[in-house]
Amino acid sequence: MAAKAGKESGLVETIKTIVYALLIAGVFRTLFFQPFWIPSGSMKDTLLIGDFLFVNKMAYGYSQYSCPFASMCSFIDGRIMAREPERGDIVVFRHPVTGQDFIKRLIGLPGDKIQMKEGRLWINGTEVPTEPAGEFIETFEPQGPMGGTPICSNGMVGLGADCIKTRLTETLPGGRSHDILDTRTSPLDNTGVYTVPEGNFFFMGDNRDNSNDSRVPQTAHGVGFVPFENLVGRADRVMFSSAGRSIFFFWTWRKDRFFKGLE
Protein backbone atom coordinates (compact mmCIF):
# COMPACT_ATOMS: atom_id res chain seq x y z
CA MET A 1 0.00 0.00 0.00
CA ALA A 2 2.85 2.36 0.85
CA ALA A 3 4.45 1.76 -2.54
CA LYS A 4 1.16 2.42 -4.32
CA ALA A 5 0.62 5.61 -2.36
CA GLY A 6 4.15 6.70 -3.23
CA LYS A 7 3.52 6.14 -6.95
CA GLU A 8 0.25 8.11 -6.81
CA SER A 9 1.99 10.92 -4.95
CA GLY A 10 4.76 11.00 -7.57
CA LEU A 11 2.20 11.12 -10.39
CA VAL A 12 0.37 14.00 -8.72
CA GLU A 13 3.63 15.92 -8.30
CA THR A 14 4.50 15.34 -11.96
CA ILE A 15 1.10 16.62 -13.10
CA LYS A 16 1.42 19.65 -10.81
CA THR A 17 4.88 20.39 -12.23
CA ILE A 18 3.56 20.25 -15.80
CA VAL A 19 0.58 22.46 -14.96
CA TYR A 20 2.80 25.02 -13.22
CA ALA A 21 5.22 25.03 -16.14
CA LEU A 22 2.38 25.62 -18.61
CA LEU A 23 0.97 28.42 -16.45
CA ILE A 24 4.37 30.10 -16.19
CA ALA A 25 4.91 29.77 -19.95
CA GLY A 26 1.43 31.20 -20.61
CA VAL A 27 1.99 34.16 -18.29
CA PHE A 28 5.45 34.81 -19.80
CA ARG A 29 4.07 34.74 -23.33
CA THR A 30 1.11 36.95 -22.45
CA LEU A 31 3.15 39.55 -20.58
CA PHE A 32 6.25 39.72 -22.75
CA PHE A 33 5.33 38.38 -26.21
CA GLN A 34 2.13 38.78 -28.19
CA PRO A 35 1.14 36.45 -31.05
CA PHE A 36 -0.01 38.36 -34.12
CA TRP A 37 -1.58 37.19 -37.38
CA ILE A 38 -1.26 39.42 -40.45
CA PRO A 39 -4.85 40.01 -41.63
CA SER A 40 -4.28 42.44 -44.52
CA GLY A 41 -1.87 43.26 -47.32
CA SER A 42 -0.79 46.72 -46.09
CA MET A 43 2.78 45.55 -45.32
CA LYS A 44 3.46 43.53 -48.49
CA ASP A 45 5.88 42.29 -49.49
CA THR A 46 7.62 42.44 -46.10
CA LEU A 47 4.63 40.77 -44.43
CA LEU A 48 2.07 38.64 -46.24
CA ILE A 49 -1.51 37.84 -45.31
CA GLY A 50 -1.33 34.71 -43.15
CA ASP A 51 2.09 35.39 -41.63
CA PHE A 52 2.24 34.59 -37.91
CA LEU A 53 4.72 36.30 -35.62
CA PHE A 54 5.47 37.07 -32.00
CA VAL A 55 5.78 40.71 -30.98
CA ASN A 56 8.47 41.62 -28.44
CA LYS A 57 6.56 43.70 -25.90
CA MET A 58 9.69 44.72 -23.99
CA ALA A 59 11.46 46.27 -26.99
CA TYR A 60 10.27 49.77 -25.98
CA GLY A 61 9.48 49.18 -22.33
CA TYR A 62 6.06 48.42 -20.88
CA SER A 63 2.89 50.52 -21.07
CA GLN A 64 -0.75 49.86 -20.24
CA TYR A 65 -1.24 48.76 -23.85
CA SER A 66 1.37 46.03 -23.44
CA CYS A 67 -1.07 44.17 -21.16
CA PRO A 68 -3.50 41.67 -22.71
CA PHE A 69 -6.26 44.02 -21.51
CA ALA A 70 -5.35 47.69 -21.14
CA SER A 71 -7.67 48.05 -18.13
CA MET A 72 -5.49 45.59 -16.21
CA CYS A 73 -2.55 47.99 -16.40
CA SER A 74 -4.33 51.34 -16.33
CA PHE A 75 -2.23 52.23 -13.29
CA ILE A 76 0.87 52.51 -15.55
CA ASP A 77 1.54 56.13 -16.47
CA GLY A 78 3.52 56.35 -19.71
CA ARG A 79 6.07 53.56 -20.10
CA ILE A 80 8.17 51.57 -17.63
CA MET A 81 11.83 51.08 -18.67
CA ALA A 82 11.08 53.09 -21.82
CA ARG A 83 13.39 52.72 -24.82
CA GLU A 84 12.94 54.86 -27.91
CA PRO A 85 12.02 52.98 -31.10
CA GLU A 86 14.21 53.34 -34.17
CA ARG A 87 13.17 54.60 -37.59
CA GLY A 88 12.41 51.60 -39.78
CA ASP A 89 11.18 49.33 -36.97
CA ILE A 90 8.11 47.21 -37.71
CA VAL A 91 5.78 48.02 -34.83
CA VAL A 92 2.48 46.76 -33.49
CA PHE A 93 0.54 49.60 -31.88
CA ARG A 94 -2.92 50.20 -30.45
CA HIS A 95 -5.09 52.50 -32.58
CA PRO A 96 -5.63 55.72 -30.56
CA VAL A 97 -9.37 55.79 -31.31
CA THR A 98 -10.63 52.25 -31.89
CA GLY A 99 -8.15 50.32 -29.72
CA GLN A 100 -7.53 47.90 -32.60
CA ASP A 101 -4.03 46.47 -33.07
CA PHE A 102 -2.19 47.72 -36.19
CA ILE A 103 1.20 46.76 -37.61
CA LYS A 104 3.16 49.29 -39.70
CA ARG A 105 6.69 50.58 -40.26
CA LEU A 106 7.92 53.51 -38.17
CA ILE A 107 8.77 56.34 -40.57
CA GLY A 108 8.63 59.59 -38.58
CA LEU A 109 10.18 60.42 -35.20
CA PRO A 110 9.10 63.31 -32.94
CA GLY A 111 9.86 66.64 -34.64
CA ASP A 112 10.20 65.14 -38.15
CA LYS A 113 8.45 66.69 -41.14
CA ILE A 114 6.97 64.00 -43.38
CA GLN A 115 5.50 64.48 -46.85
CA MET A 116 4.60 62.46 -49.93
CA LYS A 117 5.32 63.96 -53.37
CA GLU A 118 4.35 62.06 -56.52
CA GLY A 119 4.42 58.78 -54.63
CA ARG A 120 7.83 59.34 -53.04
CA LEU A 121 8.58 59.87 -49.37
CA TRP A 122 10.27 63.06 -48.14
CA ILE A 123 11.65 63.42 -44.61
CA ASN A 124 12.74 66.83 -43.31
CA GLY A 125 12.81 68.34 -46.77
CA THR A 126 14.89 65.57 -48.38
CA GLU A 127 13.59 62.88 -50.70
CA VAL A 128 14.19 59.37 -49.35
CA PRO A 129 16.23 57.52 -52.01
CA THR A 130 14.75 54.51 -53.79
CA GLU A 131 16.05 52.11 -56.39
CA PRO A 132 14.24 49.57 -58.59
CA ALA A 133 13.89 46.09 -57.08
CA GLY A 134 12.03 44.25 -59.82
CA GLU A 135 8.40 43.21 -59.54
CA PHE A 136 6.34 41.59 -56.84
CA ILE A 137 4.10 38.99 -58.46
CA GLU A 138 1.30 37.13 -56.71
CA THR A 139 -1.71 35.15 -57.86
CA PHE A 140 -4.94 37.11 -58.15
CA GLU A 141 -7.20 35.12 -55.85
CA PRO A 142 -9.01 35.47 -52.50
CA GLN A 143 -6.42 35.72 -49.73
CA GLY A 144 -6.63 34.70 -46.08
CA PRO A 145 -9.74 34.18 -43.92
CA MET A 146 -11.24 37.49 -45.10
CA GLY A 147 -11.03 36.45 -48.74
CA GLY A 148 -9.95 39.83 -50.13
CA THR A 149 -8.24 40.12 -53.51
CA PRO A 150 -5.04 42.12 -54.14
CA ILE A 151 -4.66 45.37 -56.06
CA CYS A 152 -2.59 45.02 -59.24
CA SER A 153 -0.52 47.44 -61.31
CA ASN A 154 -1.48 45.53 -64.45
CA GLY A 155 -5.17 46.38 -64.04
CA MET A 156 -8.13 44.05 -63.59
CA VAL A 157 -6.96 40.49 -64.14
CA GLY A 158 -8.87 37.25 -63.90
CA LEU A 159 -8.76 34.75 -61.05
CA GLY A 160 -5.54 32.75 -61.17
CA ALA A 161 -3.69 35.35 -63.26
CA ASP A 162 -0.49 37.13 -62.25
CA CYS A 163 -1.05 40.27 -60.16
CA ILE A 164 1.99 42.50 -60.65
CA LYS A 165 3.25 45.37 -58.51
CA THR A 166 6.32 47.57 -58.95
CA ARG A 167 8.84 46.98 -56.14
CA LEU A 168 11.38 49.54 -54.92
CA THR A 169 14.03 49.45 -52.23
CA GLU A 170 13.76 52.49 -49.97
CA THR A 171 16.66 53.60 -47.74
CA LEU A 172 15.64 55.66 -44.72
CA PRO A 173 17.83 58.24 -42.95
CA GLY A 174 20.22 56.22 -40.82
CA GLY A 175 20.78 53.63 -43.55
CA ARG A 176 18.05 51.04 -42.97
CA SER A 177 16.59 49.69 -46.21
CA HIS A 178 13.35 47.86 -46.97
CA ASP A 179 11.16 47.12 -49.97
CA ILE A 180 7.99 49.04 -50.77
CA LEU A 181 5.32 48.41 -53.40
CA ASP A 182 3.97 50.99 -55.85
CA THR A 183 0.70 49.91 -57.42
CA ARG A 184 -1.17 52.93 -58.71
CA THR A 185 -1.70 56.68 -58.39
CA SER A 186 -3.66 57.38 -55.20
CA PRO A 187 -4.73 60.49 -53.24
CA LEU A 188 -2.05 59.70 -50.65
CA ASP A 189 0.74 59.99 -53.24
CA ASN A 190 0.69 63.77 -52.70
CA THR A 191 0.13 65.17 -49.23
CA GLY A 192 0.80 68.22 -47.14
CA VAL A 193 3.62 68.30 -44.59
CA TYR A 194 3.02 66.31 -41.40
CA THR A 195 5.01 67.60 -38.41
CA VAL A 196 5.27 64.79 -35.86
CA PRO A 197 4.42 66.08 -32.35
CA GLU A 198 6.62 65.40 -29.34
CA GLY A 199 5.89 61.98 -27.83
CA ASN A 200 4.29 60.70 -31.05
CA PHE A 201 5.33 58.70 -34.11
CA PHE A 202 4.37 58.49 -37.79
CA PHE A 203 3.70 55.09 -39.38
CA MET A 204 3.27 53.88 -42.94
CA GLY A 205 2.62 50.54 -44.63
CA ASP A 206 5.16 49.15 -47.10
CA ASN A 207 2.32 48.54 -49.58
CA ARG A 208 1.99 52.29 -50.01
CA ASP A 209 -1.15 52.37 -52.16
CA ASN A 210 -3.08 49.95 -49.96
CA SER A 211 -2.42 51.08 -46.41
CA ASN A 212 -4.48 52.94 -43.82
CA ASP A 213 -1.72 54.68 -41.85
CA SER A 214 -0.55 58.00 -40.41
CA ARG A 215 -1.16 59.79 -43.70
CA VAL A 216 -4.88 59.65 -42.88
CA PRO A 217 -5.99 61.98 -40.03
CA GLN A 218 -6.77 60.29 -36.74
CA THR A 219 -10.39 59.12 -36.68
CA ALA A 220 -12.08 55.74 -36.43
CA HIS A 221 -11.03 55.31 -40.08
CA GLY A 222 -7.58 56.92 -39.97
CA VAL A 223 -4.46 56.42 -37.86
CA GLY A 224 -2.83 59.84 -37.62
CA PHE A 225 0.00 60.33 -35.14
CA VAL A 226 0.49 57.52 -32.62
CA PRO A 227 1.45 58.29 -28.98
CA PHE A 228 4.49 56.50 -27.56
CA GLU A 229 2.40 54.74 -24.90
CA ASN A 230 0.24 53.10 -27.62
CA LEU A 231 3.19 51.10 -28.95
CA VAL A 232 2.73 47.42 -28.09
CA GLY A 233 6.04 46.05 -29.33
CA ARG A 234 8.41 45.29 -32.20
CA ALA A 235 8.09 42.50 -34.77
CA ASP A 236 11.42 40.88 -35.62
CA ARG A 237 10.67 37.51 -37.22
CA VAL A 238 7.92 35.56 -39.00
CA MET A 239 7.47 32.27 -37.16
CA PHE A 240 4.95 30.58 -39.45
CA SER A 241 3.02 31.42 -42.61
CA SER A 242 -0.02 30.04 -44.40
CA ALA A 243 -1.52 31.28 -47.67
CA GLY A 244 -4.80 29.45 -47.07
CA ARG A 245 -8.00 30.36 -45.29
CA SER A 246 -7.17 28.02 -42.41
CA ILE A 247 -3.98 27.10 -40.56
CA PHE A 248 -4.97 23.44 -41.00
CA PHE A 249 -4.64 23.61 -44.81
CA PHE A 250 -1.05 22.33 -44.64
CA TRP A 251 -0.70 22.37 -48.43
CA THR A 252 -0.90 26.19 -48.29
CA TRP A 253 1.95 26.59 -45.77
CA ARG A 254 4.75 28.87 -46.96
CA LYS A 255 7.74 26.91 -45.62
CA ASP A 256 10.22 29.42 -47.07
CA ARG A 257 8.85 32.02 -44.61
CA PHE A 258 9.16 29.92 -41.44
CA PHE A 259 11.45 31.76 -38.98
CA LYS A 260 12.14 34.49 -41.55
CA GLY A 261 13.87 37.58 -40.14
CA LEU A 262 12.28 40.96 -40.84
CA GLU A 263 14.01 44.08 -42.14
Side-chain angles (χ1 to χ4, degrees), residues 22 44-45 48 51 58 91 93 98 102 109 141 161 171 175 198 211 232 239 244 251:
L22 290 174
K44 290 179 181 178
D45 66 340
L48 304 181
D51 281 350
M58 292 305 295
V91 180
F93 58 87
T98 67
F102 275 54
L109 303 174
E141 61 184 356
T171 302
E198 188 65 30
S211 175
V232 174
M239 305 302 294
W251 57 90

Side-chain angles (χ1 to χ4, degrees), residues 17-70:
T17 300
I18 293 173
V19 170
Y20 291 153
L22 290 174
L23 286 173
I24 292 171
V27 170
F28 183 84
R29 192 209 70 178
T30 301
L31 291 179
F32 302 112
F33 294 92
Q34 174 176 316
F36 194 87
W37 283 98
I38 303 301
S40 74
S42 69
M43 282 293 292
K44 290 179 181 178
D45 66 340
T46 305
L47 295 171
L48 304 181
I49 296 173
D51 281 350
F52 174 79
L53 44 87
F54 281 103
V55 176
N56 179 1
K57 291 186 177 183
M58 292 305 295
Y60 312 125
Y62 216 76
S63 78
Q64 62 173 312
Y65 298 105
S66 304
C67 290
F69 303 100

Side-chain angles (χ1 to χ4, degrees), residues 1-194:
M1 291 293 291
K4 182 177 180 180
K7 288 182 179 178
E8 289 179 350
S9 176
L11 178 61
V12 169
E13 289 302 315
T14 299
I15 293 174
K16 285 169 62 177
T17 300
I18 293 173
V19 170
Y20 291 153
L22 290 174
L23 286 173
I24 292 171
V27 170
F28 183 84
R29 192 209 70 178
T30 301
L31 291 179
F32 302 112
F33 294 92
Q34 174 176 316
F36 194 87
W37 283 98
I38 303 301
S40 74
S42 69
M43 282 293 292
K44 290 179 181 178
D45 66 340
T46 305
L47 295 171
L48 304 181
I49 296 173
D51 281 350
F52 174 79
L53 44 87
F54 281 103
V55 176
N56 179 1
K57 291 186 177 183
M58 292 305 295
Y60 312 125
Y62 216 76
S63 78
Q64 62 173 312
Y65 298 105
S66 304
C67 290
F69 303 100
S71 58
M72 294 172 55
C73 296
S74 58
F75 61 90
I76 298 178
D77 184 19
R79 301 192 79 91
I80 299 173
M81 297 183 293
R83 288 182 292 276
E84 291 288 330
E86 297 182 5
R87 195 193 311 275
D89 285 355
I90 299 173
V91 180
V92 171
F93 58 87
R94 199 68 55 85
H95 190 286
V97 176
T98 67
Q100 182 182 358
D101 284 338
F102 275 54
I103 185 166
K104 305 288 181 185
R105 190 177 298 277
L106 197 160
I107 297 296
L109 303 174
D112 281 345
K113 296 184 183 300
I114 310 295
Q115 186 175 18
M116 294 293 293
K117 296 181 182 181
E118 298 181 351
R120 296 295 176 260
L121 174 64
W122 290 64
I123 299 179
N124 297 325
T126 301
E127 183 177 359
V128 174
T130 60
E131 59 183 30
E135 295 176 329
F136 174 66
I137 303 175
E138 58 185 335
T139 302
F140 186 81
E141 61 184 356
Q143 298 181 342
M146 298 174 65
T149 52
I151 299 172
C152 314
S153 297
N154 51 329
M156 297 296 294
V157 298
L159 287 175
D162 284 347
C163 176
I164 301 172
K165 299 175 177 64
T166 300
R167 179 164 49 198
L168 303 165
T169 298
E170 183 178 77
T171 302
L172 297 170
R176 294 179 69 174
S177 297
H178 60 275
D179 287 344
I180 61 171
L181 300 182
D182 184 8
T183 307
R184 58 184 178 178
T185 300
S186 76
L188 295 178
D189 281 346
N190 292 282
T191 70
V193 176
Y194 306 93

Side-chain angles (χ1 to χ4, degrees), residues 191-214:
T191 70
V193 176
Y194 306 93
T195 301
V196 186
E198 188 65 30
N200 286 260
F201 297 92
F202 190 96
F203 290 92
M204 294 176 65
D206 291 347
N207 191 359
R208 292 286 164 81
D209 297 319
N210 189 24
S211 175
N212 175 13
D213 50 41
S214 292

